[in-house]
Amino acid sequence: ESFLRDQHLEFSAKMTEWTRKYEEDTERKKTELENVIQAKAEGLAKLKSQTKQCKEVEKFVEKVKAEKERAQKAKEMETRREGSAIKVQAWWRGIMVRCCLGQFRKNKVLKAKLMKIQKGRK
């Protein structure tokens, strides 16, 4: 009977020790879990913040790209207009010369003045 009592006391002491150790481990793990949950929440908040910032930067980049593209198209359009204007002016000047119109007409008075000027130079 004494053996059983000793065994019982020993097992009771071990059970108390194991119960205490279980509760300590459980509390430690709960604390770790809370820390992990808090870190996760902070990470998600940081991720949302950075995602928002990234979207703002992407919008800005798209806006700048669109502005550059618009400026490039305007420059190309101006170059095309200038080229077209030069072609029209050259065509018109050609017509004027070929048809002897405007300042390009053949005038006897003008020819006489030119001849007089040329003789004066000689």
Side-chain angles (χ1 to χ4, degrees):
E1 215 179 288
S2 137
F3 172 75
L4 289 176
R5 253 185 237 168
D6 290 340
Q7 286 287 332
H8 182 7
L9 288 174
E10 188 180 324
F11 286 135
S12 293
K14 282 184 178 181
M15 187 171 157
T16 306
E17 177 65 28
W18 282 103
T19 305
R20 184 186 57 77
K21 189 172 182 176
Y22 169 77
E23 288 174 1
E24 287 177 2
D25 288 346
T26 305
E27 284 299 317
R28 191 169 15 100
K29 290 298 179 181
K30 280 183 184 178
T31 306
E32 285 180 27
L33 180 61
E34 288 172 0
N35 290 339
V36 168
I37 290 172
Q38 184 179 2
K40 179 184 173 187
E42 290 172 358
L44 285 175
K46 187 175 180 180
L47 176 66
K48 285 181 183 180
S49 171
Q50 290 177 344
T51 301
K52 183 179 178 183
Q53 186 179 9
C54 182
K55 286 181 181 179
E56 290 173 0
V57 169
E58 285 176 349
K59 286 179 184 179
F60 177 75
V61 168
E62 289 297 322
K63 183 179 176 183
V64 169
K65 282 183 181 179
E67 189 175 316
K68 282 185 178 182
E69 186 177 323
R70 201 170 25 252
Q72 180 68 23
K73 284 183 180 180
K75 185 177 178 181
E76 289 174 3
M77 180 64 92
E78 185 62 29
T79 303
R80 287 176 60 203
R81 283 183 182 176
E82 286 179 9
S84 297
I86 290 170
K87 286 180 183 179
V88 168
Q89 290 171 355
W91 171 79
W92 182 252
R93 191 170 294 126
I95 295 269
M96 296 291 283
V97 168
R98 283 190 295 277
C99 295
C100 299
L101 300 173
Q103 67 184 19
F104 303 106
R105 68 180 164 204
K106 295 179 182 174
N107 193 340
K108 292 180 183 178
V109 175
L110 288 175
K111 282 185 182 180
K113 285 183 182 179
L114 284 174
M115 295 300 279
K116 201 181 214 183
I117 291 172
Q118 286 176 357
K119 286 181 183 177
R121 288 184 185 170
K122 289 182 183 180

